[in-house]
Amino acid sequence: MEEPVPGDVAAQRERLAEGLMAYGASFTELGRRFAAQLGVHSTDAFALLEIASAEERGAPLSPALLSRRISLSSGAMTALLNRLERAGYVTRTREHADRRIVTLRSSPQVAELADAFFGPVNARQDAVLSRYPSELLEQFEAVLDQLHSAMDVRPARPDGEA
């Protein structure tokens, strides 16, 4: 098997990046429309989706973990959670032995609204993915994970320090 030519890898990376950016833009637009349906800001809707998704995976989030996932300061996170709590979309509970730890829970209404809104899109995406062997999809997941790990999301400092 031939080694890939560096230019070919760069061209492939650019095509993949373009495709991922287009997918991300579509996902962002879908999230914006979901937020409009809920009557909340898009950042609030994305936070709500993060909360519900983590809960579904059996790993509910704390406000600190959520703020890292969506890059908000603690003050902005508090304001966001207050808005979602007032709207009846989120509750903050104390489920740990350490009562200082707050767990975020989404209301049952959120799951119903998200399922109704995202269900048709998820079904179409599942239909696309079902055309590919699971081994290929697992490789694609691994590539995405590795590409994500290779990203340096911190801006470079002018003095060259990390």
Side-chain angles (χ1 to χ4, degrees):
M1 188 159 126
E2 287 184 35
E3 288 294 315
V5 177
D8 293 343
V9 171
Q12 183 73 57
R13 175 185 39 76
E14 288 178 17
R15 289 191 301 274
L16 284 170
E18 287 175 15
L20 290 170
M21 284 188 288
Y23 182 85
S26 296
F27 184 82
T28 299
E29 174 57 21
L30 195 62
R32 189 197 62 72
R33 291 189 351 241
F34 182 61
Q37 179 177 317
L38 294 178
V40 300
H41 187 276
S42 59
T43 302
D44 295 12
F46 282 114
L48 195 51
L49 292 172
E50 288 285 344
I51 293 166
S53 179
E55 203 173 356
E56 194 173 288
R57 289 189 310 271
L61 298 174
S62 67
L65 287 172
L66 178 60
S67 70
R68 279 186 289 230
R69 293 195 56 98
I70 64 171
S71 300
L72 286 181
S73 69
S74 63
M77 179 55 59
T78 298
L80 178 148
L81 291 173
N82 287 343
R83 288 190 302 271
L84 291 177
E85 203 167 36
R86 275 193 307 274
Y89 294 135
V90 167
T91 57
R92 292 177 253 202
T93 62
R94 298 188 189 284
E95 303 170 10
H96 295 74
D98 182 346
R99 303 296 291 162
R100 295 172 295 177
I101 297 175
V102 173
T103 301
L104 301 173
R105 299 282 180 185
S106 59
S107 71
Q109 176 189 17
V110 170
E112 292 171 18
L113 292 168
D115 287 346
F117 187 87
F118 292 102
V121 173
N122 290 343
R124 290 191 302 272
Q125 290 184 355
D126 289 349
V128 169
L129 293 173
S130 71
R131 298 179 198 147
Y132 297 92
S134 61
E135 298 81 19
L136 178 61
L137 296 175
E138 289 169 9
Q139 288 176 336
F140 185 60
E141 286 178 48
V143 167
L144 288 176
D145 285 343
Q146 291 168 14
L147 286 172
H148 182 251
S149 294
M151 298 287 291
D152 181 5
V153 295
R154 294 172 293 153
R157 288 181 31 183
D159 59 8
E161 293 290 317

